Amino acid sequence: MGEVSGFQLGVMGALFLSVASSVSIVICNKALMSNLGFKFATTLTSWHLMVTYCSLHVALRLNFFENKAIEMKTVMMFGILNGISIGLLNLSLGFNSIGFYQMTKLAIIPFTVLLETIFLKKQFSQKIKLSLSVLLLGVGIASVTDLQLNFVGTILSLLAIITTCIGQILTNTIQKRLNVSSTQLLYQSAPFQAAILFVTGPFVDQCLTKQNVFSYKYSPLVLGFILLSCLIAVFVNFSTFLVIGKTSPVTYQVLGHLKTCLVIAFGYTLLHDPFSTRNIIGILVAMVGMGMYSYFCSNETKRKQDDASSAPQIKERETSPLLANPDKESKDSAV
């Protein structure tokens, strides 16, 4: 019981850190980009990852965690894939309307469920699917406004969905199959993510903003907000890997939509963004969906624990075509 309570406490802590840091960085970046005119999101993300890696390297030197070797091919593929997915999401936002971009983010959950069902043989109950549908409906009502389609934007959105889903599934799968912690995986993959974004970021940002990041005039105030954004990003990146590792990619996406609702609410409260009855209805519906998802997941977890305690433990070998060269003696993980 003590181990279960400790695990649940760790999950709650990871969820809280993820929500708090994500909402904070959205508010910080909104001030940086909207008020101060620094619109180079992809390049900024590469700086986030560089600072994250440097922070983890200092933590490693101070013996806050132990490094664990992961096959270079696996971690390189994983890091580059995550870097590409970030670039594609930014391009999708640039080439599509805000409404279509929000639809792209909503599509990540059902596509993740589809991939995990096909490749990882995971089973999602009808109750879980119903709660996810209610959640997506609510977020859609609250955040999706105009839907303007174009060919290039649609292709970019599709690629962004695919790479994001695979990247998040791999984040969970690598941690559990190779028995590495979220910190160890982030430490080894961050340099590759940062590198791909550092090289492509200025080009992507110039395509989207028609401005050059290197010719931007950096004032002390802008540099201060950039530094603050990078420091918050350390907690965002760490909590992302932590939440996906302790829960699942689908749960992380559900949490992401909670952040969306909170950002809308905070935007109205702190930044006086426009707020309508539609936003209120959408947020309330989304909250109902999140509550249903949390309740059904909790019940299913308890049922599985009861089944596991009453039946003999039977170890099955996992097969995952999404992960190359898995550990031969990795432990099964409960969904």
Side-chain angles (χ1 to χ4, degrees), residues 123-174:
Q123 299 297 321
F124 296 87
S125 67
Q126 294 299 321
K127 292 180 179 179
I128 293 293
K129 292 177 181 177
L130 173 62
S131 64
L132 291 175
S133 299
V134 174
L135 165 66
L136 295 177
L137 175 63
V139 177
I141 293 173
S143 61
V144 177
T145 52
D146 58 321
L147 284 176
Q148 299 175 9
L149 304 179
N150 66 80
F151 179 74
V152 175
T154 302
I155 296 299
L156 289 171
S157 293
L158 182 60
L159 292 174
I161 292 169
I162 294 172
T163 53
T164 299
C165 291
I166 295 176
Q168 291 180 359
I169 291 172
L170 282 175
T171 301
N172 178 272
T173 306
I174 290 175

Side-chain angles (χ1 to χ4, degrees), residues 5 7 68 96 106 158 163 176 181 201-202 227 240 260 285 318 331:
S5 299
F7 177 77
K68 183 174 182 179
N96 290 302
L106 292 177
L158 182 60
T163 53
K176 291 184 176 179
S181 69
L227 178 60
T240 296
T260 299
V285 173
E318 290 185 353
K331 295 180 180 179

Side-chain angles (χ1 to χ4, degrees), residues 18-303:
S18 180
V19 171
S21 59
S22 296
V23 173
S24 298
I25 202 170
V26 167
I27 294 173
C28 177
N29 287 348
K30 185 176 179 63
L32 181 61
M33 296 179 184
S34 299
N35 299 336
L36 300 177
F38 186 87
K39 301 182 182 297
F40 310 103
T42 311
T43 303
L44 180 63
T45 304
S46 72
W47 298 345
H48 288 170
L49 289 162
M50 289 178 188
V51 172
T52 298
Y53 173 74
C54 292
S55 301
L56 290 177
H57 189 70
V58 172
L60 177 64
R61 293 297 183 186
L62 295 176
N63 297 319
F64 282 105
F65 72 96
E66 293 183 1
N67 192 21
K68 183 174 182 179
I70 305 175
E71 186 188 16
M72 182 60 66
K73 179 182 176 182
T74 298
V75 74
M76 183 182 296
M77 176 190 71
F78 172 74
I80 292 175
L81 178 66
N82 275 327
I84 291 173
S85 72
I86 293 171
L88 286 171
L89 281 170
N90 287 341
L91 283 172
S92 173
L93 176 59
F95 280 85
N96 290 302
S97 64
I98 297 295
F100 191 79
Y101 175 71
Q102 290 295 339
M103 287 296 296
T104 299
K105 292 172 67 177
L106 292 177
I108 292 175
I109 283 185
F111 200 83
T112 300
V113 170
L114 177 64
L115 287 180
E116 290 195 309
T117 301
I118 294 174
F119 292 104
L120 301 182
K121 310 302 180 186
K122 290 187 177 181
Q123 299 297 321
F124 296 87
S125 67
Q126 294 299 321
K127 292 180 179 179
I128 293 293
K129 292 177 181 177
L130 173 62
S131 64
L132 291 175
S133 299
V134 174
L135 165 66
L136 295 177
L137 175 63
V139 177
I141 293 173
S143 61
V144 177
T145 52
D146 58 321
L147 284 176
Q148 299 175 9
L149 304 179
N150 66 80
F151 179 74
V152 175
T154 302
I155 296 299
L156 289 171
S157 293
L158 182 60
L159 292 174
I161 292 169
I162 294 172
T163 53
T164 299
C165 291
I166 295 176
Q168 291 180 359
I169 291 172
L170 282 175
T171 301
N172 178 272
T173 306
I174 290 175
Q175 289 185 56
K176 291 184 176 179
R177 289 177 61 83
L178 301 186
N179 194 28
V180 297
S181 69
S182 56
T183 310
Q184 292 166 335
L185 180 58
L186 178 59
Y187 175 68
Q188 296 209 34
S189 63
F192 296 104
Q193 295 183 61
I196 190 70
L197 290 174
F198 187 76
V199 172
T200 61
F203 170 75
V204 172
D205 289 334
Q206 189 155 15
C207 287
L208 299 177
T209 66
K210 310 302 180 185
Q211 300 177 42
N212 192 324
V213 65
F214 299 110
S215 62
Y216 180 83
K217 296 185 182 299
Y218 294 85
S219 67
L221 183 60
V222 169
L223 290 174
F225 268 93
I226 290 174
L227 178 60
L228 178 61
S229 179
C230 289
L231 293 176
I232 299 174
V234 175
F235 297 97
V236 173
N237 291 326
F238 173 71
S239 62
T240 296
F241 279 60
L242 192 61
V243 169
I244 295 177
K246 285 185 173 293
T247 57
S248 70
V250 173
T251 298
Y252 175 73
Q253 284 299 322
V254 170
L255 188 67
H257 293 307
L258 169 61
K259 298 172 194 175
T260 299
C261 294
L262 290 176
V263 166
I264 293 174
F266 276 114
Y268 171 74
T269 305
L270 301 178
L271 305 175
H272 305 292
D273 288 343
F275 202 66
S276 65
T277 304
R278 175 175 174 171
N279 295 133
I280 297 173
I281 294 174
I283 290 175
L284 291 176
V285 173
M287 290 298 180
V288 171
M290 290 175 202
M292 292 170 60
Y293 179 80
S294 177
Y295 176 76
F296 292 142
C297 281
S298 178
N299 283 350
E300 290 190 7
T301 300
K302 289 179 181 178
R303 191 188 73 246

